[in-house]
Amino acid sequence: MSTFDLICARRTIRKFRQEPVPHDLLMRTIEAACMAPSAMNRQPLKYALIEEPELCKKVFSLIRFAGSLPAARPTQQEAPTAYIAVLADRNLDTPWLNADVGASVQNILLTALEQGVGGCQLGAIDYEALSALFGLPEHLKLNSIVALGYPAMTAQAVPFAGDTKYYYDEDGAFKVPKRTPQQVLISIK
Ligand SMILES: Cc1cc2nc3c(=O)[nH]c(=O)nc-3n(C[C@H](O)[C@H](O)[C@H](O)COP(=O)(O)O)c2cc1C
């Protein structure tokens, strides 16, 4: 698949089959994260892999999926089977942290997808409890979590028609409205 096709095919996955994601595949996503663009090439991010089932269970209880659509939330039997905690190194402070995170997480998600693994970036997480659970040192600040696993759902992008909220259509298909190039392109002088 071309990079463009992979980018267009990627949708957030929130329900997963209960199969482990191979460690080597997770390591490849970290390698991809390390290759992401970074403001001033400061590379302020660190990552922690969460693969052990008991730890995954604890993480699952401290994150929140699909705030606007309860039916899209995974049950414990549909929970992610791996996580990557994205951590900001306070010793490498940068005003562009969130831009770096975005580039890095997209690399992670696309690299995972190329191998058939879906994912969801999560900002709705219990930062305090997760930081304590991970025993993070003072200089590492939890930024977000990427949930990963083999998809137990499909999702399609549809053109934006007035509402950005994702939804299930009348046939039970999961749809994600996306603004089109025509809707976002602005003419300038
Ligand atoms: C920074 C960031 C934080 C997000 N946090 C959450 C979250 O806490 N829970 C969740 O279910 N999805 C979360 N998402 C996923 C978005 O809801 C999803 O990207 C959006 O609905 C568009 O769907 P798509 O990724 O399939 O294009 C987050 C996405 C980003 C970029």
Side-chain angles (χ1 to χ4, degrees):
M1 203 186 271
S2 72
T3 303
F4 177 78
D5 288 345
L6 194 67
I7 287 167
C8 294
R10 184 212 60 81
R11 295 275 64 80
T12 287
I13 296 300
R14 298 186 176 86
K15 298 183 184 209
F16 303 90
R17 304 203 304 268
Q18 296 308 287
E19 285 169 39
V21 178
H23 178 74
D24 286 357
L25 200 161
L26 293 171
M27 286 304 296
R28 193 172 158 87
T29 68
I30 301 301
E31 198 177 335
C34 291
M35 289 297 142
S38 171
M40 300 175 291
N41 205 22
R42 212 151 155 75
Q43 303 172 61
L45 301 176
K46 302 282 191 289
Y47 307 90
L49 291 181
I50 296 111
E51 303 172 77
E52 201 272 311
E54 277 312 305
L55 189 54
C56 283
K57 229 180 213 177
K58 287 182 185 155
V59 170
F60 187 60
S61 70
L62 297 170
I63 61 181
R64 192 178 147 98
F65 284 94
S68 64
L69 187 61
R73 294 177 196 154
T75 63
Q76 181 67 65
Q77 288 69 42
E78 299 165 324
T81 53
Y83 298 92
I84 296 172
V86 181
L87 312 168
D89 188 334
R90 294 181 209 268
N91 297 325
L92 297 170
D93 206 16
T94 164
W96 303 104
L97 181 70
N98 283 332
D100 272 45
V101 171
S104 148
V105 170
Q106 180 76 335
N107 278 12
I108 289 173
L109 292 172
L110 292 177
T111 300
L113 181 60
E114 198 179 35
Q115 304 297 321
V117 167
C120 177
Q121 183 175 6
L122 289 131
I125 61 179
D126 187 333
Y127 285 91
E128 212 177 308
L130 285 166
S131 302
L133 179 66
F134 299 151
L136 290 182
E138 189 53 36
H139 73 287
L140 293 180
K141 185 173 180 211
L142 180 60
N143 175 279
S144 50
I145 294 271
V146 182
L148 294 165
Y150 290 97
M153 61 169 278
T154 58
Q156 291 98 36
V158 289
F160 169 81
D163 194 346
T164 56
K165 279 203 191 92
Y166 45 81
Y167 60 94
Y168 289 99
D169 72 8
E170 56 282 3
D171 300 320
F174 191 77
K175 304 286 184 185
V176 184
K178 288 291 182 188
R179 295 185 208 275
T180 63
Q182 292 73 23
Q183 291 167 341
V184 300
L185 256 183
I186 305 297
S187 297
I188 52 170
K189 282 187 201 149

